Amino acid sequence: MKMAHSRTASTARRGRVLPDDACPNCGTMMLEKRGRLRLPVNGEEISVPSAQFLDCPKCGEIVLRLQDSKRLHQDAIAIYRKRHGLLSANEIRVIREQFGLTQANLARLLRLGANTVSRWESGRNVQTAAMDILLRLIRDLPGSVDYLRSQAA
Ligand SMILES: [Zn+2]
């Protein structure tokens, strides 16, 4: 659904980062702004209500600084998780710590890349629905971690 006042964060996708506050389009000094931006997560357009960015008062160009871009991405992933009923970054960390596992331990048990769990917990990536149900299984079914350990390569 298209929101009337939202804009797509195309600059975030291009990864443009400027060293100063000048508009890359017209050179005007840009202003700090907070507003709705949209970002695709797994091919789905996610609307982030209070994204921070620089806005050109003259031509309307939007620039996301590196920290703006990171924050927008994390917020979009958090919204995506909520919408799809997936575990939050914090819930994943709680499950992992409940079993005394490091991020690398859990990744190995689930046969994932070494940094995957770290990316879930920092909100940089979202777990698949299949991994989500597996994490719930670990949390709710006693003996799951022992089973995974017994199957570890
Ligand atoms: Zn401009």
Side-chain angles (χ1 to χ4, degrees):
M1 210 186 302
K2 227 168 174 168
M3 312 281 285
H5 298 291
S6 68
R7 287 181 280 195
T8 301
S10 60
T11 48
R13 281 207 290 274
R14 290 202 299 272
R16 186 191 295 185
V17 178
L18 283 188
D20 56 32
D21 292 355
C23 174
N25 203 32
C26 71
T28 306
M29 285 307 280
M30 304 187 87
L31 302 173
E32 186 81 40
K33 223 171 162 183
R34 207 169 252 282
R36 187 175 292 276
L37 288 180
R38 292 185 297 156
L39 193 75
V41 176
N42 288 345
E44 188 177 318
E45 201 88 308
I46 299 294
S47 181
V48 177
S50 57
Q52 207 162 345
F53 52 88
L54 293 175
D55 185 56
C56 177
K58 196 174 174 190
C59 74
E61 176 83 352
I62 286 175
V63 169
L64 287 100
R65 289 151 297 186
L66 187 58
Q67 73 270 22
D68 295 338
S69 177
K70 279 183 181 165
R71 186 62 199 268
L72 175 65
H73 189 76
Q74 286 173 342
D75 288 352
I77 282 187
I79 291 167
Y80 180 93
R81 279 173 158 150
K82 200 169 268 183
R83 179 182 294 175
H84 291 274
L86 298 171
L87 294 164
S88 70
N90 192 51
E91 285 172 321
I92 294 173
R93 183 184 54 77
V94 168
I95 292 170
R96 178 178 60 74
E97 289 179 351
Q98 192 182 324
F99 294 95
L101 298 166
T102 65
Q103 293 177 336
N105 287 156
L106 180 58
R108 199 173 316 117
L109 291 178
L110 297 176
R111 303 182 183 191
L112 297 164
N115 295 319
T116 304
V117 174
S118 156
R119 291 197 192 99
W120 290 344
E121 292 185 9
S122 64
R124 273 175 293 158
N125 279 1
V126 62
Q127 71 278 18
T128 61
M131 276 299 154
D132 195 80
I133 197 69
L134 202 47
L135 290 166
R136 288 169 197 267
L137 201 81
I138 288 172
R139 181 188 64 191
D140 299 333
L141 205 68
S144 297
V145 170
D146 290 337
Y147 176 79
L148 290 171
R149 280 205 181 100
S150 78
Q151 299 297 311

